[in-house]
Amino acid sequence: MPNTQSSTVERVYDAFFNLIAIAFVLIVISYLFGLIPPNSWRLESGALLCLFLLAYSSIIKENVKTKNVKGLIWNVLILGSGVGACIYLLIEIPRLEWYYGSVWTNMDIVFGTLLIIALLDFSRKKFGWALPIIALIFLAYTLFGDLLSPQFFGHTGFSFERTISYLFGPGAIFGIVMSTFVNIIFIYMLFGVFLERTGVGKFLVDLSFAIAGRLRGGPAKVAVVASAILGSINGNSVANVATTGSITIPLMKKTGYKSSFAGGLEAAASTGGQLLPPIMGAGAFLMAEFLQLSYREVITAALLPAILYFVGVFLMVDLEAVKNNLKGIKDTPKIREVLKSSYLVLPIFVLVYALIIQNMSVTRSGFLAIAACIVISWFTKDHKMGIKGVSNAIIDGAKNSVGIGAMCAAAGIVIGTVSMTGLGNSFSSVIINLAGSNILIVAFFTALISIVLGMGLPTTAAYIISMSVAVPSLVALGIPALSAHLFVFYFAVVSAITPPVGAAFYTGAAIAKANVMATGMHSVRIGIGAFTVPFFFIISPVLLLDGTTFEIVKAAITAIIGIVAVTMAIQRLTFIGTKLFIWQSLLLIASFVMLIYPSLHSDVYGFVIFVLALLLNPKIFSNLFSQKKDLSKTIE
């Protein structure tokens, strides 16, 4: 009897919070379609209230099951603090809209403090200590930065009350980042859930096997293709490594790849998916919102660097297969059979068509793509979505968005402190003074701070925080804002594969059962394009497709040759199996730098050095001749 009562209470409990999830989604949809009054501050407060309830409902349920009394008390207090602060805001917003940032009450400070504490605990539970520690450092800087020298990031100082009252509003926690989450990011996370429900994930993996599985080093090339596509859609490198990697990493190891290489490759490919248009995780949407540009402009600029990145990854995989004489796999799906399910990707084409061809708003394009997922599911055998299926997808979408929503709100603390203190401009002044207005040196420091701030954080948080601090130093030197944002975005993304702390390669190492640091070093080598190409597109916008047709085509061709050169230099091997001397690798690196720099003179010099580096090794001709001889014997 007690067990029956317990299960009944649990079902009622789950049903209640499932209704909250559905209500949350319906409120957001109603707001976006203009069915409720347009007050973004009120909507974001209500959204955060729902996120607190959805997140802590499962945590408290687990505390009760495990009889963790201390954890239960703490989590109930945190939930009460977060929900109470959001309710207080919903009631007081009419007053706060008039007096925000200038006049505050004691209750504003109390509830603002409680909300910040709750958000730090919320983000800690979802993503670990990295974001809370960064937020606390920035908060401490706001409160005590007046103790620093004005020449070294010092400011005039802010009282505790003024700081909390500012963070409690639309300039910080409920600012542009939380607004972007509610208006855009959440819709595309919901789209990702609906798309997954159609069975498109299995189709993409099967398609990757059918296309690349039989090539030399096949499983690794499958990992590149599948992880690139899925990584772009779900926008979470760690989740992508965990899902795709559970299939591809064991196959790579079975084929003959080293465990550390397999884990590093999966991390590099999954992370690089967020650089790949048209979706780019949430990055493109955030960038368009920050810069007030169209989505089409952002993804157009991001296209060629992303292609160069994956060309480099693919070539590194091929050279590794050559080095270890690795073959493809025989038992792969037949392409004709796989393509019978190609209609499953139609929602992605609908999304791209709506965004780029019809130039529809990002939000409406997302809803149209969700509708396409539902319709497409009706033509599948095992994934039809009726009312129950749609409801379950909505509930999962709401619950899946909890972590990103918490992260966006917590990142607002950092944005608010940077806005109050002018840290972005201070950082810019210090860096420019140190670097003497040298663009490459400033870019190096900017890349370094973006990687350090991004370590251990989800890509979205890494980009938001790095952007607020690092972009002004690049813009101050006359670099276009879009180039500066893409530069920072690239290094925020690759922080996930940069030792010593990179969540993506840690996950890859765990699946591959490999040494963590060895896996991290492989992920850096494989993803070398993401560490180098951004330095060139901030010097010249041609690599961002900003130039004449001739300039863009020339830049693309020479950059690809440059990527070929640097991959051979890193592997010290040619594609026909000839080992390279160190001096040849150094020449190839020099040719890479010259070829990728968009200048006719540097392209010519780079190509000459590239050819000379290969021709000066006599073994290349003997290997090439022997391969032709073997081929002629095979034909006979």
Side-chain angles (χ1 to χ4, degrees):
M1 187 72 177
N3 287 337
T4 305
Q5 288 179 341
S6 174
S7 61
T8 302
V9 170
E10 188 174 336
R11 282 198 300 271
V12 172
Y13 183 88
D14 291 341
F16 173 73
F17 285 103
N18 285 343
L19 286 174
I20 288 177
I22 293 172
F24 167 53
V25 175
L26 293 177
I27 289 169
V28 172
I29 292 172
S30 300
Y31 170 80
L32 295 176
F33 280 95
L35 301 178
I36 57 177
N39 186 313
S40 60
W41 195 357
R42 190 181 295 277
L43 174 70
E44 290 152 25
S45 303
L48 190 55
L49 187 154
C50 291
L51 294 175
F52 271 115
L53 289 170
L54 291 174
Y56 280 84
S57 64
S58 58
I59 295 170
I60 289 171
K61 181 179 173 181
E62 186 63 27
N63 290 152
V64 172
K65 276 187 175 181
T66 57
K67 297 180 181 179
N68 182 355
V69 178
K70 288 183 180 179
L72 178 63
I73 293 171
W74 171 257
N75 289 317
V76 168
L77 287 173
I78 290 295
L79 176 60
S81 299
V83 169
C86 292
I87 292 173
Y88 175 80
L89 262 181
L90 290 171
I91 296 169
E92 294 293 326
I93 278 176
R95 173 182 63 83
L96 292 171
E97 283 178 327
W98 286 97
Y99 300 110
Y100 170 64
S102 58
V103 179
W104 54 83
T105 66
N106 289 335
M107 295 303 290
D108 293 346
I109 306 307
V110 169
F111 280 108
T113 304
L114 289 174
L115 181 61
I116 289 171
I117 293 170
L119 278 175
L120 294 177
D121 185 71
F122 194 171
S123 57
R124 177 187 66 82
K125 282 184 169 66
K126 289 296 176 183
F127 298 110
W129 278 103
L131 182 54
I133 288 173
I134 290 173
L136 286 170
I137 290 170
F138 276 79
L139 192 56
Y141 170 72
T142 306
L143 295 172
F144 305 110
D146 57 322
L147 302 177
L148 298 174
S149 166
Q151 286 76 35
F152 193 73
F153 306 116
H155 58 75
T156 55
F158 298 91
S159 68
F160 178 79
E161 291 80 7
R162 186 178 177 188
T163 301
I164 297 300
S165 68
Y166 187 83
L167 296 181
F168 201 28
I173 293 172
F174 300 101
I176 187 171
V177 181
M178 195 62 186
S179 173
T180 305
F181 166 74
V182 173
N183 287 279
I184 299 173
I185 296 174
F186 171 70
I187 302 304
Y188 282 84
M189 293 189 75
L190 195 62
F191 165 63
V193 172
F194 274 90
L195 188 63
E196 184 185 347
R197 292 297 179 95
T198 65
V200 73
K202 183 180 182 303
F203 164 73
L204 291 173
V205 171
D206 287 347
L207 181 64
S208 303
F209 273 105
I211 293 172
R214 290 180 178 271
L215 302 176
R216 66 183 178 196
K221 291 172 180 174
V222 169
V224 174
V225 177
S227 299
I229 299 170
L230 292 172
S232 179
I233 294 169
N234 67 31
N236 188 324
S237 54
V238 175
N240 200 32
V241 172
T243 52
T244 313
S246 62
I247 300 171
T248 57
I249 289 175
L251 274 174
M252 282 190 269
K253 290 173 65 177
K254 188 176 179 180
T255 309
Y257 284 100
K258 292 179 182 177
S259 298
S260 55
F261 183 89
L265 170 64
E266 183 57 53
S270 293
T271 300
Q274 293 169 87
L275 305 173
L276 184 66
I279 299 177
M280 296 173 65
F285 305 119
L286 280 168
M287 207 175 298
E289 195 73 13
F290 287 137
L291 294 171
Q292 293 298 292
L293 295 174
S294 70
Y295 178 76
R296 178 166 52 188
E297 289 177 272
V298 173
I299 63 170
T300 299
L303 181 61
L304 182 54
I307 291 172
L308 294 176
Y309 177 81
F310 279 103
V311 166
V313 172
F314 206 84
L315 294 177
M316 288 292 286
V317 166
D318 195 54
L319 285 170
E320 189 72 15
V322 172
K323 183 190 294 184
N324 296 291
N325 194 29
L326 304 178
K327 309 300 181 184
I329 48 179
K330 296 179 181 179
D331 188 16
T332 60
K334 293 182 178 178
I335 188 72
R336 288 185 180 180
E337 291 298 315
V338 174
L339 288 177
K340 289 179 181 178
S341 300
S342 59
Y343 63 91
L344 292 174
V345 299
L346 280 175
I348 299 175
F349 285 101
V350 168
L351 176 64
V352 173
Y353 177 80
L355 282 170
I356 299 175
I357 308 299
Q358 291 297 316
N359 205 24
M360 290 175 64
S361 73
V362 174
T363 302
R364 290 185 179 274
S365 299
F367 279 121
L368 188 63
I370 290 171
C373 290
I374 297 171
V375 173
I376 288 297
S377 75
W378 298 340
F379 296 91
T380 65
K381 184 179 179 181
D382 303 317
H383 302 283
K384 290 183 174 66
M385 279 189 274
I387 294 175
K388 185 178 179 181
V390 170
S391 299
N392 288 336
I394 287 173
I395 291 166
D396 286 348
K399 290 181 177 178
N400 288 352
S401 71
V402 162
I404 298 299
M407 177 271 299
C408 287
I413 297 172
V414 177
I415 296 289
T417 58
V418 171
S419 175
M420 289 180 72
T421 60
L423 178 61
N425 292 328
S426 299
F427 178 80
S428 172
S429 300
V430 170
I431 293 300
I432 290 173
N433 288 335
L434 289 173
S437 299
N438 184 302
I439 289 179
L440 287 178
I441 297 176
V442 171
F444 173 78
F445 281 116
T446 303
L448 188 63
I449 197 70
S450 299
I451 289 173
V452 170
L453 288 175
M455 283 183 175
L457 294 178
T459 300
T460 307
Y463 167 59
I464 292 166
I465 294 171
S466 302
M467 172 275 302
S468 64
V469 175
V471 163
S473 60
L474 295 173
V475 174
L477 292 179
I479 293 168
L482 179 55
S483 301
H485 274 261
L486 272 172
F487 182 89
V488 169
F489 179 68
Y490 259 68
F491 285 99
V493 168
V494 298
S495 66
I497 58 171
T498 307
V501 182
F505 78 76
Y506 267 79
T507 307
I511 296 172
K513 297 178 181 177
N515 179 274
V516 172
M517 285 303 114
T519 304
M521 293 310 298
H522 275 299
S523 65
V524 170
R525 289 172 64 241
I526 294 165
I528 190 67
F531 291 91
T532 52
V533 171
F535 285 94
F536 296 96
F537 67 59
I538 61 164
I539 294 172
S540 173
V542 174
L543 289 176
L544 301 182
L545 303 187
D546 183 8
T548 64
T549 303
F550 172 75
E551 289 173 334
I552 291 169
V553 171
K554 178 181 71 68
I557 293 171
T558 54
I560 289 171
I561 297 172
I563 293 292
V564 172
V566 77
T567 52
M568 287 194 296
I570 291 171
Q571 292 281 30
R572 291 188 60 194
L573 192 73
T574 68
F575 292 94
I576 57 173
T578 307
K579 291 184 179 179
L580 299 175
F581 299 108
I582 292 177
W583 61 266
Q584 285 180 292
S585 291
L586 293 174
L587 283 177
L588 288 172
I589 290 172
S591 74
F592 160 70
V593 173
M594 292 183 179
L595 283 163
I596 206 164
Y597 183 82
S599 159
L600 183 60
H601 288 93
S602 66
D603 289 342
V604 172
Y605 294 142
F607 187 73
V608 170
I609 293 172
F610 173 76
V611 173
L612 285 175
L614 298 179
L615 292 181
L616 291 175
N617 188 338
K619 289 183 180 179
I620 288 179
F621 296 102
S622 59
N623 281 4
L624 188 61
F625 179 76
S626 64
Q627 284 198 3
K628 285 183 178 179
K629 192 173 181 180
D630 291 340
L631 181 63
S632 63
K633 285 181 179 178
T634 305
I635 293 171
E636 289 172 4

